[in-house]
Amino acid sequence: MFYHYAVLALRQLWKHKIQSLVKILGLTLGLAGALLVVVVNYSESTWDNFWDEADTIYKFEFYDNGKAASGFTPKILAGALREQAPELAAVGNLERSIILVQFPDQQSKSLKTFSQSVTRIDDGILDIFTFTPLEGTITGFRNNPTAAILSETAAKKYFGTQSALGKTFAIGRSQLEGPAPDALEAREEQRLYTVVAVIADVNRRSNEVFQVMVPALEAVTESDRNWLSRSVSTYIKLNTSNSLANIEQRLNNYVKKQLEALKLSSNAEPSFKAMPIRNVHTQGAEVSGGAQQLLLLYVLGFLVLVITLVNHINLSISGYLQRSKEVGLRRLVGASIGQLFVQIWLESILYLVLAGLFAFMVLEPLLPIIASSLSIRLGNNLLLEPSLMLIIAGLFLCASVLVAIYPVWRVAGLSLAFSLRANRARENLIDTRVRKMFYLVQLIASSLLLISVVVVNAQLEKFSRFDPGYTTKSIYFFHGQEFLTANKGQFLQLKARLEQNPAIESMARMGIGLLGANAEPGWVSTLEQDRAHGVAIAFQHVPDFNGLRVFDVPIVAGELPLTGDKFLQSNPTTQPAMSPGAPEFKELVICENLLPLLGFPNAQSAINQTIKFYMGDFGIPTKIIAVTGNFHFGEFYSAPQPCAFWQVTFGNAMSWGIQYKNGEFTEVDAYLKQVWKEVMGGTPYVIPLSGMVEASVGREKILRYFLQVIAGIALVISLLGVFGLIQLTLQKRQLEIALRKLHGASVRQILGMLNKEIAILVLVANLLALPVGFYFANQWLENFYQPIELLWWMPVALAISIGLSLLLTQSTVTLQSMWVARKRPASSLTQH
């Protein structure tokens, strides 16, 4: 029976070539769009899913006042967990950074320096994550402070075809611990590590990178023992009987007691919560809008799939009704409804399989390009993963059933006498209305997508033109691992050489990013007040107030000091550089929006006034030396906050920022790299600030890309729907058109009559899509600090959607109807 039905399906496909081609084209486009969403969302939602017993692995995140603040935690958290929750299967700390590593050169056998991602782990990490050893044994790493583990790729990179076991490499002590304050001019002390194991490369869809692993250092500094620090990733592995909620409660109660005992109950109220490792990539504290993006993409995929299937049903139903005599004869000889369903279902599967193959052929070469352009990390041979193939097979099976249900119900509902009269279309008024309803659903979804495209593009365009009140277009940062080992003389030489270039407007040592992007919470008050009566602010530490000059931050009162970077001005033998986190409060620059909160009537009245800054319950007297004008402090998404800057003496672990003259980036970039190589050696990393601003809307760019692609697919499918709808309409109304022409109707009038029906459907669809689009657009725009005026943009989006839809549909109807409108009435009348 199945073989017979398959042969019939192939015959029908070949008999109606044009209709079959239109149906397959529509299915191919729609399935390609839906599969693209499924593949990307599958990849994004299955990060770290490959680890053994992944459902028992959790990562602790840092919460401040009940809100997720960071995916990094204090070093002492792991020890507290081992003490407070001894029933855990494993606890481990992990710290990863890109540092300089010295491997033996394969030709000269001398040590050669490489910039390498190095992961420092304790033994607990080996009990949480299961690595596959290719050489050596993992156990050789435990309790061995000089052991190292390399990935297969790292081993081949540094040792070629030779075995890496027993080979050694070196890492400078300051690379691991930071620069020693009393040895800034001293020669770098090297730590030697011996390779004890080579492991198979970890899946690319992992939040952690395991290329070179060395033992973690013990928590020895004050910062390491600080509950407010955020320096490592802490993982745990549960036993089957563990209660995660109970563990979190015990831990946070312990942390609260520790802070109270140390009198560190400041404005920060830290707590810790465990996040399943499978959810870290999309829902972790370091991720913004990951889960929302997945949901939005699924909605887009669902919309394009609905449009595709409805269009296929609409195009297919006329063909099934034309075969009503065949159906009547089969029922007359005893065919059941189930057999009719199997026949139509197999035909649906045939179309879906052919369209699916074409969709895969289109998608396979495009995936690497899409992944590269959207910065999405897709796994190799992702389409061949069994879980994904099972999901796609289930999707195809459900789709084949859905597109078969209505045609079976419709043709089986015809009476035998009606079915056996003639082998031609038996579409009645109800069928016509159902077909128009199906097409209306397509148009509503298409209109909703077009409206969304306009809104998203308008918001991202506004974001790209956002003026924060300081310069972002002509700034870039440069840094390199050579900073960690360079002495003060090299820094001064580098600075002097760069200042000689007339294309460089200003430069200073500073952190990488927007002003306030890495700000911390704090409190300030007048000298007479205490912290309880203070003002909550966001503050940013700077090694050099000249960094504000690099950004062209407006100064409305006071002056920025000309002394510049205290580290470069100081004598390291008498005034050692302090490590980050050890502030030297002497001078403060405050933002204009902080003035009324501190009781200052104007900016000038605040100059040289002393206020108190709080890092806990103790207020540090600090003098205000300058007041900035209004500018946006922090990420562009968030509202500006009362803010301040203070200068801290940092050691050499800091990047530099440069403002260059417009249009001269290429010359400055080449000059910088040349000077860097001569003074520091190596090549610096260069990061344009404009690129960082653009990257901050990375997820929105992905959404825009998918919206545009799927909206384009929806429009094409809607045009194919118009083709099928108008084709059947013309077949049914040839006699009516002929009689109208006999009574004097012109070609223009006939075309207007045919276009009117589609135009009405387009207008109704857009009006129905408008409130739905308004609701979802309003929800999405809540993520932005300065959203577009939706009440103004929605009419614009509606007008664009209506205009584009009418232009395309009316053109399709006109071109397809022209031959019927011009046909001689006699030819049509002789056929009826």
Side-chain angles (χ1 to χ4, degrees), residues 126 133-150 159 163-169 193-199 213-215:
L126 300 178
L134 302 178
E135 291 185 274
T137 60
I138 301 295
T139 55
F141 185 88
R142 298 180 186 273
N143 300 315
N144 186 348
T146 63
I149 298 174
L150 302 185
F159 300 106
S163 173
L165 288 182
K167 299 293 195 304
T168 60
F169 60 90
Y193 293 92
T194 303
V195 178
V196 298
V198 176
I199 61 171
M213 288 184 279
V214 299

Side-chain angles (χ1 to χ4, degrees), residues 788-816:
I788 59 174
E789 292 292 339
L790 200 54
L791 290 177
W792 186 89
W793 272 102
M794 285 306 288
V796 174
L798 179 65
I800 293 175
S801 176
I802 291 175
L804 185 59
S805 299
L806 284 176
L807 175 65
L808 295 176
T809 55
Q810 298 298 288
S811 300
T812 303
V813 172
T814 300
L815 290 174
Q816 195 174 356

Side-chain angles (χ1 to χ4, degrees), residues 53-60 77-78 81-82 85 88-93 124-125 127-129 233-239 242-245 247-248 251 273-277:
E53 301 178 330
D55 56 335
T56 66
I57 301 176
Y58 290 78
K59 180 183 181 183
F60 268 91
L77 180 63
L81 280 165
R82 294 186 184 102
L88 286 171
V91 180
N93 275 345
I125 292 295
D127 298 321
I128 296 173
F129 299 102
S233 298
T234 303
Y235 288 92
I236 64 170
K237 191 171 188 177
L238 298 177
N239 286 313
N242 290 158
S243 170
L244 184 61
I247 292 171
E248 289 177 345
L251 172 66
K273 186 176 181 180
M275 170 71 69
I277 192 173

Side-chain angles (χ1 to χ4, degrees), residues 528-655:
E528 296 77 20
Q529 295 176 325
D530 56 18
R531 190 181 71 84
H533 298 87
V535 177
I537 65 168
F539 61 88
Q540 181 169 331
H541 51 247
V542 293
D544 187 350
F545 278 125
N546 283 317
L548 300 182
R549 290 191 174 99
V550 172
F551 282 98
D552 282 337
V553 173
I555 303 297
V556 296
E559 293 183 358
L560 298 178
L562 299 176
T563 53
D565 194 325
K566 293 183 178 181
F567 166 68
L568 297 183
Q569 300 297 325
S570 65
N571 184 341
T573 60
T574 59
Q575 187 179 354
M578 302 174 71
S579 62
E584 180 185 293
F585 289 91
K586 289 185 178 180
E587 299 168 332
L588 195 70
V589 174
I590 68 172
C591 304
E592 194 172 19
N593 56 8
L594 186 56
L595 293 173
L597 301 177
L598 290 173
F600 295 115
N602 53 59
Q604 192 60 46
S605 66
I607 301 303
N608 293 324
Q609 297 298 315
T610 302
I611 61 175
K612 288 192 292 188
F613 185 91
Y614 296 89
M615 289 196 63
D617 293 327
F618 179 72
I620 304 172
T622 310
K623 185 174 70 172
I624 299 173
I625 62 169
V627 178
T628 72
N630 287 322
F631 68 95
H632 191 95
F633 186 82
E635 297 287 353
F636 293 171
Y637 281 110
S638 58
Q641 310 167 66
C643 58
F645 298 90
W646 86 83
Q647 189 172 17
V648 183
T649 303
F650 275 89
N652 43 357
M654 179 58 63
S655 60

